Amino acid sequence: MELNGRPVSTGELASLALYGYGHFTTMLVDDLRVRGLDLHAQRLARDCRTLFGADLDLPRVRELARRTAREHPSPTVVRVTVYDPHMDLGRPDASVLPHVLVTARPAPDPGSVPPPVRLGTRGFCREAPEVKGTGLFGAVRERRAARLDGHDDALFTTPDGLVSEGPTWNIGFVDGGGLVWPDAPALDGVTARLVDRVASDLGIPVIRRSLTASAATRMSGAFVTNAATGLRPVAALDGVHLPSSPVVTRLAHGYAALSGDRL
């Protein structure tokens, strides 16, 4: 765990732990290559301007992420978090110097295939869903509640009942041989955008449309996406079985074949 390329102190983590004001991106680094590196960089730059009104030094961020990746066995999951260790809770507008915290954790075993996930819907919307923010209280709370109800994870729905996203992933559906993304406030995920590229290469049509939870249970397949696990099929939604779709399998294989960009 390093802040601006050096070991971080407990005090320097205090504002992040106590206030949760910051943003991040998570990358799967394999042999110093990252799928969608350009999209991760765009996200960090955009969110830094949104939260801090500042431009992020992207070449420096890339250097710090590369340094951390080299210090851990490949593949590894590298997270880049941007926050201000000197934030004043009473005057957050005075915080204008975001710092870069880089952490790593072991990646899922590339030889293992995670089982299909069972989801339970929960009425919840993240604050500023377009930003990958560090404040995860609400999302983790809903994940915990869904698991206590017997599901593997939570699928969020808006106040008017539309499917949006999960705590740490996007969700896609298959309908009539095409890919359907829910049209509701959600993070524009890097892995989801890469799946769009794969779908285009495979000639699979892609649309966005509003989906209620009940309509989602009638789709011919579904999957969730994030950088650490790629594509993971959905087995059930609110206890209703969802079929295994060959389209999801094709997308998963196409995504796994992406070589990534040199970090």
Side-chain angles (χ1 to χ4, degrees):
M1 181 179 294
E2 293 186 336
L3 183 66
N4 301 328
R6 57 171 176 74
V8 62
S9 69
T10 303
E12 290 171 318
L13 290 172
S15 72
L16 183 62
L18 296 174
Y19 311 144
Y21 191 85
H23 64 92
F24 71 100
T25 198
T26 301
M27 304 174 285
L28 178 66
V29 184
D30 190 358
D31 194 24
L32 290 183
R33 304 189 76 89
V34 177
R35 296 185 183 95
L37 182 61
D38 59 330
L39 299 175
H40 285 288
Q42 291 169 20
R43 164 189 284 167
L44 288 170
R46 180 190 64 238
D47 289 353
C48 191
R49 286 191 293 267
T50 299
L51 296 191
F52 296 103
D55 290 325
L56 196 60
D57 184 348
L58 292 175
R60 176 61 171 160
V61 170
R62 189 169 175 175
E63 174 190 343
L64 296 174
R66 183 168 57 244
R67 168 177 163 158
T68 294
R70 282 177 171 154
E71 293 174 350
H72 293 79
S74 181
T76 188
V77 177
V78 173
R79 169 170 159 159
V80 176
T81 303
V82 180
Y83 75 107
D84 186 350
H86 308 295
M87 169 173 277
D88 182 338
L89 184 60
R91 299 188 305 120
D93 54 307
S95 299
V96 294
L97 187 60
H99 294 232
V100 178
L101 177 72
V102 183
T103 57
R105 59 181 170 86
D109 181 356
S112 65
V113 178
V117 65
R118 299 167 298 123
L119 305 178
T121 54
R122 306 284 303 179
F124 178 74
C125 292
R126 292 186 303 111
E127 289 184 272
E130 71 280 2
V131 173
K132 194 171 178 68
T134 56
L136 300 179
F137 166 77
V140 173
R141 180 172 182 264
E142 298 304 332
R143 169 174 282 171
R144 181 177 186 275
R147 292 182 62 84
L148 289 174
D149 285 343
H151 308 289
D152 296 319
D153 210 341
L155 174 61
F156 301 153
T157 58
T158 65
D160 49 357
L162 298 180
V163 169
S164 58
E165 61 181 348
T168 55
W169 40 259
N170 291 109
I171 187 167
F173 295 90
V174 175
D175 186 31
L179 171 57
V180 180
W181 296 109
D183 189 12
L187 182 70
D188 191 21
V190 167
T191 305
R193 297 290 68 78
L194 292 176
V195 171
D196 280 344
R197 296 179 183 178
V198 171
S200 177
D201 291 342
L202 295 175
I204 297 173
V206 180
I207 64 170
R208 296 184 68 89
R209 79 167 187 254
S210 299
L211 281 173
T212 63
S214 60
T217 62
R218 298 192 294 271
M219 303 296 274
S220 56
F223 59 93
V224 299
T225 68
N226 72 13
T229 58
L231 276 72
R232 186 176 180 184
V234 175
L237 178 55
D238 286 339
V240 178
H241 172 74
L242 290 178
S244 176
S245 168
V247 174
V248 173
T249 302
R250 291 177 65 200
L251 291 170
H253 288 166
Y255 176 80
L258 296 175
S259 60
D261 304 305
R262 192 73 177 173
L263 183 60

